[in-house]
Amino acid sequence: MKSIHAALAASIACLTVAGSAHAETKTLYVGMNGGNLERTFTQAVFPAFEKANDVKIVVVPGTSSDILAKATAAKDAPQMNLMFLDDGIMYRAIGLGLCEKLKESPELAEVDKAARMKDDMAVGVNMGMTGIAYNTKLFADNGWAAPTSWMDFADPKFADKVVFQSASASSFGLHAFLMFNRIQGGDETNVEPGFTKFGETIGKNVLEYIPSSAKISEMTQAGEAAIFPLTPTAVSTLKAQNIPVEYAQPKEGSVVLMYTACTIAKNSEPELTQKLAAYLLSANAQSAALDAGDVYPSNPKAVASTPEGKVKLDAFQTYMKTAVVLDWDAINAKRAEWNSRWNKMIEQ
């Protein structure tokens, strides 16, 4: 009887310990874009970290603007631990004091220098660029050659066939507008040429201004959208869904678009969050993201595991050679004013 009681007590003790261990599993909340990026990271990147660190990662999905708004609203008591934002919006987050400096790590040391933002307050995890995407079926049906320039958006043959993301809400739309502005003689400190000439050129062809790229899929399938700003990664995602699109690198250059991460200041798990940030920069994590979702790496040691993936990575590296880096300090200093002008002058 004593042995039975002892065994029972031991079993209860084991269950209590197991229950306590399970109860101690921590949760990290990560703000990031939904869609392909959320699928890629939740299915192919996060699981290894979760298993190795006995942690659960919960994604808070939303656009970069959505995530920034949530982080700002909870600045004094953060609800998220780490957030991914487009590079331009990340500069705003840093300026608002929302980010904590990244700790030095072997992984941080490996990434491209261009991916490390000022004072290592954030870092690029996914390197990309905004260029031109086009509807291959519509182009084939009309015998149109593939686009080669940002000015193709102004070609009369695309009347009511251009879909343009709002420059006040989307990095893609802003990038395309600023490249048009550069072609017209302006730069990030002078957008008058762009605002003066956009309406009478590209604006004449625009069927619809959209706040994000979510409608691109249906508008392409419906034959409504012929040409629109987009990234190679987004194009690959659409192609995987059998949507007839292709990417074209503009002769004037695409625009560098980093998807960046920062650990949120005052978050509830600072050490674990820093560890997650370092993991996201590792060659293993970025290779997994590349294979699973065409998420192009900031760590040059990341590799593609398939011949198709290697071809895409080579093409991406070629595009990067002519990609343009915008002056985000100048942009953010005037962004609110530009947004107001865009909404009144362009999307009125």
Side-chain angles (χ1 to χ4, degrees), residues 99-292:
C99 296
E100 180 181 77
K101 183 181 176 70
L102 293 164
K103 291 183 178 179
E104 287 291 341
S105 67
E107 296 84 0
L108 180 60
E110 286 177 352
V111 302
D112 287 329
K113 289 183 179 179
R116 297 175 68 161
M117 300 179 76
K118 187 177 181 181
D119 297 326
D120 288 332
M121 298 302 291
V123 63
V125 175
N126 168 212
M127 301 295 286
M129 70 282 295
T130 303
I132 302 170
Y134 63 101
N135 184 330
T136 53
K137 182 179 186 305
L138 208 53
F139 269 64
D141 290 347
N142 287 278
W144 296 332
T148 60
S149 168
W150 290 107
M151 289 308 299
D152 285 336
F153 283 95
D155 191 318
K157 69 173 175 276
F158 297 131
D160 293 326
K161 292 294 184 183
V162 170
V163 174
F164 212 89
Q165 297 91 335
S166 172
S168 62
S170 164
S171 292
F172 299 161
L174 178 64
H175 288 173
F177 170 73
L178 289 175
M179 287 306 293
F180 170 77
N181 179 64
R182 284 189 174 204
I183 293 168
Q184 301 306 313
D187 60 23
E188 285 80 76
T189 65
N190 175 23
V191 293
E192 292 307 316
F195 276 112
T196 299
K197 299 178 182 179
F198 189 91
E200 64 189 35
T201 53
I202 294 176
K204 285 185 175 181
N205 288 344
V206 175
L207 171 65
E208 184 176 348
Y209 292 100
I210 55 178
S212 71
S213 299
K215 291 182 65 176
I216 291 292
S217 172
E218 62 184 80
M219 295 182 78
T220 301
Q221 289 178 306
E224 296 173 334
I227 183 171
F228 33 89
L230 213 58
T231 66
T233 297
V235 167
S236 292
T237 300
L238 292 174
K239 289 173 70 174
Q241 300 168 12
N242 295 316
I243 295 169
V245 293
E246 190 54 82
Y247 176 82
Q249 178 76 352
K251 64 183 180 182
E252 301 90 354
S254 54
V255 179
V256 171
L257 172 65
M258 288 194 300
Y259 198 46
T260 61
C262 88
T263 63
I264 296 177
K266 303 178 183 178
N267 83 79
S268 60
E269 296 290 341
E271 291 186 13
L272 190 56
T273 304
Q274 287 278 352
K275 192 173 183 180
L276 173 59
Y279 165 73
L280 293 172
L281 300 177
S282 69
N284 286 342
Q286 294 198 6
S287 295
L290 176 62
D291 286 340

Side-chain angles (χ1 to χ4, degrees), residues 64-80 83 93 96-98 264-266:
S64 290
S65 295
D66 293 336
I67 298 302
L68 177 63
K70 290 176 181 176
T72 302
K75 181 177 180 179
D76 295 327
Q79 303 300 302
M80 296 179 290
M83 60 182 170
L96 291 169
L98 297 175
I264 296 177
K266 303 178 183 178

Side-chain angles (χ1 to χ4, degrees), residues 44-61:
V45 179
F46 291 150
F49 183 85
E50 290 176 313
K51 183 177 181 180
N53 295 277
D54 189 23
V55 62
K56 179 174 178 57
I57 296 175
V58 175
V59 169
V60 180

